[in-house]
mmCIF file of all heavy atoms in Angstrom:
data_model
loop_
_atom_site.group_PDB
_atom_site.id
_atom_site.type_symbol
_atom_site.label_atom_id
_atom_site.label_comp_id
_atom_site.label_asym_id
_atom_site.label_seq_id
_atom_site.Cartn_x
_atom_site.Cartn_y
_atom_site.Cartn_z
ATOM 1 N N THR A 1 1.361 -12.051 -5.328
ATOM 2 C CA THR A 1 2.112 -10.768 -5.080
ATOM 3 C C THR A 1 1.160 -9.583 -5.409
ATOM 4 O O THR A 1 0.402 -9.595 -6.362
ATOM 5 C CB THR A 1 3.337 -10.719 -5.922
ATOM 6 O OG1 THR A 1 4.221 -11.827 -5.660
ATOM 7 C CG2 THR A 1 4.115 -9.504 -5.693
ATOM 8 N N MET A 2 1.249 -8.655 -4.486
ATOM 9 C CA MET A 2 0.585 -7.389 -4.575
ATOM 10 C C MET A 2 1.571 -6.297 -4.993
ATOM 11 O O MET A 2 2.572 -6.298 -4.446
ATOM 12 C CB MET A 2 -0.166 -6.997 -3.316
ATOM 13 C CG MET A 2 -0.810 -5.680 -3.256
ATOM 14 S SD MET A 2 -1.547 -5.289 -1.661
ATOM 15 C CE MET A 2 -0.104 -5.288 -0.626
ATOM 16 N N TYR A 3 1.037 -5.359 -5.802
ATOM 17 C CA TYR A 3 1.928 -4.259 -6.258
ATOM 18 C C TYR A 3 1.318 -2.952 -6.005
ATOM 19 O O TYR A 3 0.087 -2.793 -6.000
ATOM 20 C CB TYR A 3 2.278 -4.374 -7.652
ATOM 21 C CG TYR A 3 2.881 -5.745 -8.160
ATOM 22 C CD1 TYR A 3 2.122 -6.833 -8.458
ATOM 23 C CD2 TYR A 3 4.266 -5.894 -8.198
ATOM 24 C CE1 TYR A 3 2.560 -8.016 -8.871
ATOM 25 C CE2 TYR A 3 4.743 -7.079 -8.558
ATOM 26 C CZ TYR A 3 3.962 -8.167 -8.911
ATOM 27 O OH TYR A 3 4.529 -9.448 -9.340
ATOM 28 N N LEU A 4 2.213 -1.929 -5.753
ATOM 29 C CA LEU A 4 1.744 -0.532 -5.691
ATOM 30 C C LEU A 4 2.560 0.282 -6.704
ATOM 31 O O LEU A 4 3.738 0.465 -6.333
ATOM 32 C CB LEU A 4 1.845 -0.018 -4.328
ATOM 33 C CG LEU A 4 1.221 1.390 -4.003
ATOM 34 C CD1 LEU A 4 -0.262 1.436 -4.253
ATOM 35 C CD2 LEU A 4 1.629 1.930 -2.651
ATOM 36 N N GLN A 5 2.013 0.683 -7.807
ATOM 37 C CA GLN A 5 2.730 1.469 -8.738
ATOM 38 C C GLN A 5 2.457 2.910 -8.339
ATOM 39 O O GLN A 5 1.335 3.389 -8.278
ATOM 40 C CB GLN A 5 2.140 1.232 -10.124
ATOM 41 C CG GLN A 5 2.755 2.077 -11.184
ATOM 42 C CD GLN A 5 4.146 1.918 -11.404
ATOM 43 O OE1 GLN A 5 4.633 0.765 -11.555
ATOM 44 N NE2 GLN A 5 4.994 2.958 -11.501
ATOM 45 N N MET A 6 3.542 3.559 -8.065
ATOM 46 C CA MET A 6 3.474 4.969 -7.530
ATOM 47 C C MET A 6 4.204 5.885 -8.554
ATOM 48 O O MET A 6 5.360 5.765 -8.957
ATOM 49 C CB MET A 6 4.302 5.062 -6.228
ATOM 50 C CG MET A 6 3.782 4.170 -5.128
ATOM 51 S SD MET A 6 4.599 4.347 -3.568
ATOM 52 C CE MET A 6 6.313 3.864 -3.937
ATOM 53 N N ASN A 7 3.357 6.731 -9.083
ATOM 54 C CA ASN A 7 3.794 7.696 -10.078
ATOM 55 C C ASN A 7 3.672 9.158 -9.490
ATOM 56 O O ASN A 7 2.980 9.402 -8.648
ATOM 57 C CB ASN A 7 3.030 7.550 -11.395
ATOM 58 C CG ASN A 7 3.114 6.288 -12.124
ATOM 59 O OD1 ASN A 7 4.170 5.727 -12.212
ATOM 60 N ND2 ASN A 7 2.061 5.689 -12.550
ATOM 61 N N GLY A 8 4.451 10.072 -10.190
ATOM 62 C CA GLY A 8 4.383 11.395 -9.697
ATOM 63 C C GLY A 8 4.598 11.591 -8.180
ATOM 64 O O GLY A 8 3.929 12.262 -7.562
ATOM 65 N N LEU A 9 5.656 10.935 -7.705
ATOM 66 C CA LEU A 9 5.932 10.911 -6.285
ATOM 67 C C LEU A 9 6.236 12.306 -5.792
ATOM 68 O O LEU A 9 6.854 13.096 -6.458
ATOM 69 C CB LEU A 9 7.078 9.992 -6.017
ATOM 70 C CG LEU A 9 6.689 8.476 -6.078
ATOM 71 C CD1 LEU A 9 7.948 7.545 -6.146
ATOM 72 C CD2 LEU A 9 5.898 8.239 -4.776
ATOM 73 N N LYS A 10 5.836 12.644 -4.592
ATOM 74 C CA LYS A 10 6.025 13.867 -3.939
ATOM 75 C C LYS A 10 6.735 13.646 -2.666
ATOM 76 O O LYS A 10 6.705 12.575 -2.116
ATOM 77 C CB LYS A 10 4.662 14.500 -3.678
ATOM 78 C CG LYS A 10 3.721 14.786 -4.826
ATOM 79 C CD LYS A 10 2.388 15.300 -4.388
ATOM 80 C CE LYS A 10 1.473 15.414 -5.596
ATOM 81 N NZ LYS A 10 0.128 15.931 -5.181
ATOM 82 N N PRO A 11 7.438 14.748 -2.130
ATOM 83 C CA PRO A 11 8.156 14.506 -0.897
ATOM 84 C C PRO A 11 7.271 14.069 0.240
ATOM 85 O O PRO A 11 7.767 13.267 1.083
ATOM 86 C CB PRO A 11 8.718 15.942 -0.615
ATOM 87 C CG PRO A 11 8.894 16.571 -1.947
ATOM 88 C CD PRO A 11 7.738 15.975 -2.817
ATOM 89 N N GLU A 12 6.132 14.472 0.287
ATOM 90 C CA GLU A 12 5.077 14.034 1.317
ATOM 91 C C GLU A 12 4.719 12.565 1.235
ATOM 92 O O GLU A 12 4.085 11.946 2.119
ATOM 93 C CB GLU A 12 3.821 14.807 1.228
ATOM 94 C CG GLU A 12 3.155 14.903 -0.020
ATOM 95 C CD GLU A 12 3.475 16.214 -0.809
ATOM 96 O OE1 GLU A 12 4.638 16.623 -0.827
ATOM 97 O OE2 GLU A 12 2.479 16.808 -1.409
ATOM 98 N N ASP A 13 5.188 11.864 0.145
ATOM 99 C CA ASP A 13 4.991 10.460 0.074
ATOM 100 C C ASP A 13 6.147 9.724 0.901
ATOM 101 O O ASP A 13 6.056 8.437 0.952
ATOM 102 C CB ASP A 13 4.962 9.949 -1.389
ATOM 103 C CG ASP A 13 3.824 10.471 -2.135
ATOM 104 O OD1 ASP A 13 2.710 10.458 -1.641
ATOM 105 O OD2 ASP A 13 4.044 10.948 -3.364
ATOM 106 N N THR A 14 7.131 10.377 1.242
ATOM 107 C CA THR A 14 8.187 9.751 2.029
ATOM 108 C C THR A 14 7.601 9.133 3.281
ATOM 109 O O THR A 14 6.998 9.752 4.105
ATOM 110 C CB THR A 14 9.241 10.806 2.346
ATOM 111 O OG1 THR A 14 9.852 11.268 1.118
ATOM 112 C CG2 THR A 14 10.327 10.204 3.271
ATOM 113 N N ALA A 15 7.952 7.851 3.459
ATOM 114 C CA ALA A 15 7.449 7.090 4.517
ATOM 115 C C ALA A 15 8.022 5.681 4.500
ATOM 116 O O ALA A 15 8.617 5.234 3.520
ATOM 117 C CB ALA A 15 5.895 7.086 4.664
ATOM 118 N N VAL A 16 7.799 4.997 5.564
ATOM 119 C CA VAL A 16 7.971 3.462 5.545
ATOM 120 C C VAL A 16 6.610 2.914 5.120
ATOM 121 O O VAL A 16 5.607 3.209 5.629
ATOM 122 C CB VAL A 16 8.383 2.934 6.862
ATOM 123 C CG1 VAL A 16 8.448 1.408 6.870
ATOM 124 C CG2 VAL A 16 9.691 3.516 7.346
ATOM 125 N N TYR A 17 6.661 2.094 4.074
ATOM 126 C CA TYR A 17 5.497 1.427 3.565
ATOM 127 C C TYR A 17 5.492 -0.019 3.981
ATOM 128 O O TYR A 17 6.457 -0.693 3.946
ATOM 129 C CB TYR A 17 5.491 1.528 2.142
ATOM 130 C CG TYR A 17 5.208 2.857 1.463
ATOM 131 C CD1 TYR A 17 6.071 3.909 1.605
ATOM 132 C CD2 TYR A 17 3.952 3.069 0.779
ATOM 133 C CE1 TYR A 17 5.805 5.198 1.131
ATOM 134 C CE2 TYR A 17 3.663 4.320 0.326
ATOM 135 C CZ TYR A 17 4.546 5.384 0.461
ATOM 136 O OH TYR A 17 4.221 6.574 0.039
ATOM 137 N N TYR A 18 4.297 -0.359 4.480
ATOM 138 C CA TYR A 18 4.071 -1.717 5.064
ATOM 139 C C TYR A 18 3.070 -2.470 4.319
ATOM 140 O O TYR A 18 1.966 -1.991 4.004
ATOM 141 C CB TYR A 18 3.603 -1.641 6.504
ATOM 142 C CG TYR A 18 4.619 -1.035 7.488
ATOM 143 C CD1 TYR A 18 4.676 0.298 7.699
ATOM 144 C CD2 TYR A 18 5.505 -1.917 8.126
ATOM 145 C CE1 TYR A 18 5.582 0.840 8.644
ATOM 146 C CE2 TYR A 18 6.464 -1.352 8.992
ATOM 147 C CZ TYR A 18 6.429 0.022 9.252
ATOM 148 O OH TYR A 18 7.302 0.509 10.158
ATOM 149 N N CYS A 19 3.349 -3.633 3.928
ATOM 150 C CA CYS A 19 2.339 -4.554 3.324
ATOM 151 C C CYS A 19 1.621 -5.238 4.587
ATOM 152 O O CYS A 19 2.294 -5.631 5.536
ATOM 153 C CB CYS A 19 3.076 -5.635 2.539
ATOM 154 S SG CYS A 19 1.951 -6.906 1.909
ATOM 155 N N ALA A 20 0.262 -5.469 4.494
ATOM 156 C CA ALA A 20 -0.467 -6.049 5.427
ATOM 157 C C ALA A 20 -1.611 -6.864 4.795
ATOM 158 O O ALA A 20 -1.981 -6.698 3.665
ATOM 159 C CB ALA A 20 -1.142 -5.027 6.366
ATOM 160 N N ALA A 21 -1.982 -8.002 5.527
ATOM 161 C CA ALA A 21 -2.877 -8.856 4.982
ATOM 162 C C ALA A 21 -3.832 -9.371 6.011
ATOM 163 O O ALA A 21 -3.527 -9.408 7.213
ATOM 164 C CB ALA A 21 -2.179 -10.117 4.297
ATOM 165 N N ILE A 22 -5.065 -9.717 5.594
ATOM 166 C CA ILE A 22 -6.049 -10.236 6.503
ATOM 167 C C ILE A 22 -7.021 -11.079 5.794
ATOM 168 O O ILE A 22 -7.320 -10.885 4.551
ATOM 169 C CB ILE A 22 -6.874 -9.026 7.199
ATOM 170 C CG1 ILE A 22 -7.777 -9.483 8.337
ATOM 171 C CG2 ILE A 22 -7.650 -8.166 6.131
ATOM 172 C CD1 ILE A 22 -8.390 -8.310 9.064
ATOM 173 N N ARG A 23 -7.538 -12.111 6.447
ATOM 174 C CA ARG A 23 -8.610 -12.940 5.890
ATOM 175 C C ARG A 23 -9.875 -12.329 6.135
ATOM 176 O O ARG A 23 -10.676 -12.739 7.044
ATOM 177 C CB ARG A 23 -8.468 -14.373 6.505
ATOM 178 C CG ARG A 23 -7.205 -15.120 6.239
ATOM 179 C CD ARG A 23 -7.164 -16.475 6.765
ATOM 180 N NE ARG A 23 -5.853 -17.116 6.525
ATOM 181 C CZ ARG A 23 -4.859 -17.219 7.386
ATOM 182 N NH1 ARG A 23 -5.033 -16.644 8.618
ATOM 183 N NH2 ARG A 23 -3.731 -17.726 7.095
ATOM 184 N N SER A 24 -10.257 -11.326 5.283
ATOM 185 C CA SER A 24 -11.477 -10.603 5.418
ATOM 186 C C SER A 24 -11.965 -10.345 3.970
ATOM 187 O O SER A 24 -11.162 -10.133 2.996
ATOM 188 C CB SER A 24 -11.216 -9.258 6.143
ATOM 189 O OG SER A 24 -12.352 -8.401 5.979
ATOM 190 N N PHE A 25 -13.220 -10.338 3.828
ATOM 191 C CA PHE A 25 -13.866 -10.059 2.555
ATOM 192 C C PHE A 25 -13.961 -8.509 2.267
ATOM 193 O O PHE A 25 -14.167 -8.143 1.151
ATOM 194 C CB PHE A 25 -15.249 -10.597 2.373
ATOM 195 C CG PHE A 25 -15.251 -12.156 2.464
ATOM 196 C CD1 PHE A 25 -15.621 -12.874 3.444
ATOM 197 C CD2 PHE A 25 -14.857 -12.727 1.249
ATOM 198 C CE1 PHE A 25 -15.491 -14.218 3.515
ATOM 199 C CE2 PHE A 25 -14.854 -14.151 1.211
ATOM 200 C CZ PHE A 25 -15.179 -14.914 2.427
ATOM 201 N N LEU A 26 -13.627 -7.673 3.174
ATOM 202 C CA LEU A 26 -13.655 -6.249 3.060
ATOM 203 C C LEU A 26 -12.197 -5.726 3.360
ATOM 204 O O LEU A 26 -11.523 -6.227 4.123
ATOM 205 C CB LEU A 26 -14.693 -5.620 4.022
ATOM 206 C CG LEU A 26 -16.147 -5.996 3.821
ATOM 207 C CD1 LEU A 26 -16.988 -5.320 4.964
ATOM 208 C CD2 LEU A 26 -16.641 -5.659 2.439
ATOM 209 N N ILE A 27 -11.967 -4.605 2.655
ATOM 210 C CA ILE A 27 -10.664 -3.918 2.848
ATOM 211 C C ILE A 27 -10.815 -3.066 4.072
ATOM 212 O O ILE A 27 -11.618 -2.095 4.145
ATOM 213 C CB ILE A 27 -10.323 -2.971 1.640
ATOM 214 C CG1 ILE A 27 -10.170 -3.894 0.380
ATOM 215 C CG2 ILE A 27 -9.062 -2.286 1.884
ATOM 216 C CD1 ILE A 27 -10.052 -3.143 -0.885
ATOM 217 N N LYS A 28 -10.071 -3.373 5.126
ATOM 218 C CA LYS A 28 -10.152 -2.631 6.405
ATOM 219 C C LYS A 28 -9.188 -1.502 6.345
ATOM 220 O O LYS A 28 -8.143 -1.464 5.673
ATOM 221 C CB LYS A 28 -9.807 -3.648 7.522
ATOM 222 C CG LYS A 28 -10.565 -4.951 7.603
ATOM 223 C CD LYS A 28 -12.029 -4.600 8.000
ATOM 224 C CE LYS A 28 -12.801 -5.809 8.274
ATOM 225 N NZ LYS A 28 -14.231 -5.544 8.661
#
C-alpha cells in the first residue's frame, strides 16, 4: 500500500486523485 499524507490542505488541492503504477525503475 502507498500513502499520501496531505497536511495544510488548500482549496487549490481540490481534485480527483488517482493512484497509478508501472513496472519501471524510474518515477515517470
Side-chain angles (χ1 to χ4, degrees):
T1 300
M2 172 185 66
Y3 305 89
L4 185 67
Q5 176 65 48
M6 305 185 294
N7 299 318
L9 284 163
K10 304 175 181 179
E12 52 262 44
D13 296 317
T14 295
V16 176
Y17 285 70
Y18 295 89
C19 176
I22 188 172
R23 298 186 181 95
S24 170
F25 292 104
L26 299 176
I27 299 172
K28 303 293 187 179

